[in-house]
Amino acid sequence: MHKIVTLESVAEIKLGMPFKSAIQDAGEQGSCYLIQTKDIGLDGILDLGTLTSVIPDGNPEKHYLFPNDILLRLRGPVFSAGIIEEGTDKPIITSNQLAVIRCNENIILPQYLHWYINSSSGSKYIRSMSEGTSISKINSKTISKMNVKLPTLEEQDKIGLINRNWIKQKITYNALIQNGDLLFDSICENIINRRALENE
């Protein structure tokens, strides 16, 4: 029987940086990249390739994110979590629409926790605790009380490796699907255009 722990006992949970005004893309002038809810897919894949570059108010340093930080969407309908796998050429921050979860890696491994939050067990807990009518939402306090199954570090490492490899495969499959959509759309458009030319 695996040990059950609360998330707050094995990880630090905090909110991202608050933004008082609408987020504006500052382009090359931006000092930080901003991860928003839209950057985390419903399947838990975090896309760092299209992040908005911003100039945040005040000092954002205490909000900087690092590899292995887990980011959890706090608004539904799907409360998926992404994980930062690598650094970028600018510091990364996130807004307070996401919870930042930083693991005590002596106890729980980030890749394992990333899998667990997105698993059927983790998703079931979050859905049961969400509140709201048209837009479901949760808060960091609720997340901190989440029960987490804690296998050995060796078992966690195996699960984390499986999760990482599956995410890589999903990214490849998604790219193939998108390229296929473009290809077949082009083929169908050519058929229509050719018919139109024949009828002229």
Side-chain angles (χ1 to χ4, degrees), residues 79-90:
F79 299 97
S80 54
I83 185 169
I84 298 176
E85 295 275 15
E86 56 194 17
T88 58
D89 60 331
K90 296 178 183 178

Side-chain angles (χ1 to χ4, degrees), residues 45-59:
I45 295 176
L46 172 59
D47 183 5
L48 295 180
T50 57
L51 298 182
T52 301
S53 182
V54 297
I55 304 174
D57 295 329
N59 185 358

Side-chain angles (χ1 to χ4, degrees), residues 45-187:
I45 295 176
L46 172 59
D47 183 5
L48 295 180
T50 57
L51 298 182
T52 301
S53 182
V54 297
I55 304 174
D57 295 329
N59 185 358
E61 286 190 18
K62 66 178 182 179
H63 295 285
Y64 284 176
L65 303 175
F66 302 97
N68 291 330
D69 282 350
I70 297 168
L71 304 177
L72 174 64
R73 297 162 58 130
L74 296 177
R75 288 181 176 267
V78 177
F79 299 97
S80 54
I83 185 169
I84 298 176
E85 295 275 15
E86 56 194 17
T88 58
D89 60 331
K90 296 178 183 178
I92 308 173
I93 58 174
T94 189
S95 74
N96 58 4
Q97 300 297 310
L98 293 111
V100 179
I101 303 171
R102 190 165 293 162
C103 295
N104 178 345
E105 297 188 33
N106 293 318
I107 303 174
I108 191 165
L109 301 181
Q111 282 288 345
Y112 168 75
L113 182 58
H114 177 236
W115 167 80
Y116 188 85
I117 292 173
N118 290 320
S119 72
S120 56
S121 297
S123 298
K124 183 178 179 181
Y125 170 83
I126 294 172
R127 285 196 307 270
S128 72
M129 300 304 292
S130 65
E131 55 188 34
T133 52
S134 58
I135 301 178
S136 298
K137 59 184 178 180
I138 50 175
N139 57 53
S140 57
K141 184 176 180 180
T142 298
I143 292 301
S144 70
K145 303 300 181 185
M146 177 180 179
N147 286 335
V148 179
K149 294 178 183 176
L150 193 67
T152 66
L153 288 174
E154 182 181 1
E155 291 170 323
Q156 291 180 42
D157 188 52
K158 288 180 180 178
I159 292 170
L161 181 60
I162 292 169
N163 183 52
R164 186 184 296 112
N165 288 337
W166 177 230
I167 286 175
K168 288 179 180 177
Q169 290 183 55
K170 285 198 288 187
I171 291 172
T172 300
Y173 295 151
N174 289 340
L176 287 172
I177 291 170
Q178 290 175 4
N179 290 336
D181 285 342
L182 292 173
L183 172 63
F184 287 104
D185 185 62
S186 175
I187 291 172

Side-chain angles (χ1 to χ4, degrees), residues 4-65:
I4 304 293
V5 297
T6 59
L7 185 55
E8 65 182 351
S9 70
V10 295
E12 175 191 358
I13 303 113
K14 61 181 183 179
L15 294 178
M17 188 173 185
F19 280 75
K20 297 178 181 179
S21 57
I23 293 168
Q24 302 289 332
D25 191 338
E28 293 296 325
Q29 302 301 315
S31 59
C32 300
Y33 288 125
L34 175 68
I35 295 176
Q36 303 175 71
T37 53
K38 67 181 179 64
D39 299 312
I40 301 175
L42 302 183
D43 53 5
I45 295 176
L46 172 59
D47 183 5
L48 295 180
T50 57
L51 298 182
T52 301
S53 182
V54 297
I55 304 174
D57 295 329
N59 185 358
E61 286 190 18
K62 66 178 182 179
H63 295 285
Y64 284 176
L65 303 175

